Amino acid sequence: MTTTTQAPASSKTGTRHIALAIIALAMGGFGIGTTEFTMMGLLKEIEQGLNISTPEAGHLISAYALGVVVGAPVLAAVGAKLPRKHLALGLMLFFSIANLSSLLAPDYGSMLVSRFAAGLPHGAFFGVAAVIAASLVAPTKRGWAISMVMAGLTVSNVIGVPFATWLGQSYGWRLLFLLVGLIGIITLAMLWKFVPFQKPHADASFRRELGALKRLQVWLAILVGIVGFGGFFATYTYISHTMTSVAGVPAPWLPLVVALYGVGMVAGNIVGGRIADKSVMGTIYWVLPATAVALVVYGVAAHWAWSALIMVFVVGAAGSMLVPALQTRLLDASPDAPSLASSLNHAALNVANALGAFLGGLVIAWGWGYVAPALVGAVLAILGLGVAAISGAVERRRPLAS
């Protein structure tokens, strides 16, 4: 099933130009990942710079996540009648301006608003980027194309986040937003140069996009992401505490830990895209239990530094394998409203972030230790598998194409 009535652009566009278009889209993901995840590493500096408490600094991260959840469906639906290239350009311009406003925000209140604003285009950009990438290749390569767009987000955890964290710690935390603003401007130029123009669907409209929310399979796919991916974030949120307090990894090694996790995410994203091209639901059925097993093994391996470092890579890879399949599943579940359906994946992942962090923090507060969030994550992955099984059973009775 294709996600659009237009023929894949690969018939008209050379392989090199397609690659450059996908790189341009991935560059946007690189900037988004850098601003989202570096905030966690610069919280102490932000607290001191704005003279706020740790919980208040944490609210800046929550404000960004809330912006993603709100902006993903709203901006994707509002931009339904725009050519996809123009929508991508507008969202990246919005993102760049919002991050530059964080650079200049004079106090906590204005910073809170600017972080919320920066989150608004996040999900909608990834949504339209995934649709553009999928339209540039043959239907049998959609998973690969989507994974390449998502590679920008995962690569940011290997390169962008460590560099931006060092930059902020060494020369001032506000330089994070200058760096991301510059990445956004570079992305704008690349999008303008390399992404081909595509006319919007003749029947595209705000109402048509919102029609995706009437489909049970769309909601089931979102629920798989929220529940199944929640375990990934339950572990990632508290990884520094687990590494230093349980595994005995020295604190100066934490950048290596984060980098290993990021490399695992890159590898998992690429593999996930390849296997999603063979079977979307098969990938989901296989990845979720594999993630559960990886998290349980991580909980045991975390007691020794060498095995903990190995499992950090494995957990990062296992979790990120799920994303291309979920993105493709949403496109298949709502082919007449692809931008909104695709963007909802990122809203779901941010809800998963909040859910995983909350449940992980809860079991730590109960005194179960820093390994407990990984075990909670394993349970969430199995619950996500249950939701996927329900989705598959519904599809057997009523195929997506009906």
Side-chain angles (χ1 to χ4, degrees):
M1 178 186 298
T2 57
T3 61
T4 174
T5 57
Q6 296 174 325
S10 56
S11 61
K12 299 179 181 180
T13 309
T15 301
R16 179 175 177 273
H17 200 87
I18 291 173
L20 290 171
I22 292 177
I23 290 172
L25 295 166
M27 180 64 73
F30 181 84
I32 289 173
T34 299
T35 194
E36 180 179 18
F37 294 113
T38 304
M39 286 287 290
M40 300 172 187
L42 292 177
L43 275 190
K44 184 176 180 181
E45 287 77 12
I46 293 171
E47 291 168 24
Q48 296 172 347
L50 294 176
N51 193 26
I52 56 177
S53 66
T54 299
E56 286 175 324
H59 293 163
L60 295 174
I61 295 174
S62 300
Y64 184 92
L66 180 60
V68 178
V69 174
V70 172
V74 173
L75 294 181
V78 169
K81 294 183 72 68
L82 292 174
R84 289 170 185 156
K85 176 176 181 175
H86 294 175
L87 178 58
L89 285 167
L91 290 168
M92 187 48 54
L93 178 62
F94 189 122
F95 173 79
S96 302
I97 292 172
N99 274 279
L100 291 174
S101 72
S102 295
L103 171 68
L104 302 173
D107 52 37
Y108 176 66
S110 56
M111 180 64 77
L112 203 63
V113 172
S114 72
R115 295 319 296 155
F116 173 79
L120 288 172
H122 175 132
F125 177 83
F126 275 118
V128 72
V131 174
I132 292 172
S135 74
L136 294 175
V137 299
T140 55
K141 294 185 177 180
R142 288 180 306 147
W144 171 82
I146 291 170
S147 73
M148 289 300 97
V149 172
M150 290 301 300
L153 183 66
T154 55
V155 169
S156 72
N157 284 277
V158 182
I159 301 173
V161 174
F163 175 75
T165 301
W166 169 82
L167 183 69
Q169 290 174 338
S170 301
Y171 300 103
W173 59 271
R174 287 185 185 270
L175 289 179
L176 160 65
F177 306 115
L178 177 61
L179 173 65
V180 173
L182 292 175
I183 294 173
I185 293 170
I186 293 171
T187 301
L188 281 168
M190 294 180 68
L191 292 173
W192 182 266
K193 176 69 174 177
F194 299 119
V195 172
F197 176 84
Q198 298 174 342
K199 292 181 179 179
H201 193 285
D203 298 325
S205 68
F206 181 84
R207 179 176 295 182
R208 180 186 174 96
E209 289 288 326
L210 289 182
L213 300 178
K214 297 179 181 179
R215 295 184 172 90
L216 175 60
Q217 288 289 12
V218 169
W219 286 106
L220 288 173
I222 290 171
L223 191 57
V224 170
I226 291 174
V227 178
F229 214 74
F232 180 86
F233 285 111
T235 306
Y236 186 66
T237 302
Y238 303 100
I239 193 169
S240 62
H241 296 285
T242 306
M243 290 296 104
T244 55
S245 300
V246 180
V249 173
W253 285 25
L254 286 179
L256 171 63
V257 173
V258 175
L260 276 174
Y261 210 87
V263 172
M265 289 174 66
V266 173
N269 180 64
I270 294 171
V271 173
R274 291 293 187 183
I275 60 178
D277 281 332
K278 299 181 184 299
S279 173
V280 173
M281 289 305 293
T283 299
I284 294 172
Y285 291 149
W286 179 82
V287 167
L288 284 169
T291 300
V293 171
L295 288 170
V296 171
V297 174
Y298 170 82
V300 176
H303 292 86
W304 301 275
W306 66 270
S307 56
L309 292 174
I310 292 173
M311 288 311 299
V312 160
F313 172 86
V314 173
V315 170
S320 61
M321 273 193 248
L322 185 63
V323 178
L326 283 177
Q327 195 86 57
T328 306
R329 179 65 173 176
L330 281 163
L331 288 173
D332 287 343
S334 191
D336 56 345
S339 295
L340 175 60
S342 184
S343 69
L344 288 172
N345 190 35
H346 297 276
L349 296 184
N350 273 269
V351 175
N353 190 346
L355 175 67
F358 171 75
L359 293 178
L362 197 62
V363 293
I364 290 172
W366 288 346
W368 293 7
Y370 289 120
V371 168
L375 303 181
V376 169
V379 173
L380 288 173
I382 296 302
L383 290 175
L385 178 62
V387 177
I390 293 172
S391 177
V394 171
E395 184 179 1
R396 284 190 291 273
R397 292 189 180 93
R398 185 178 180 184
L400 294 180
S402 65

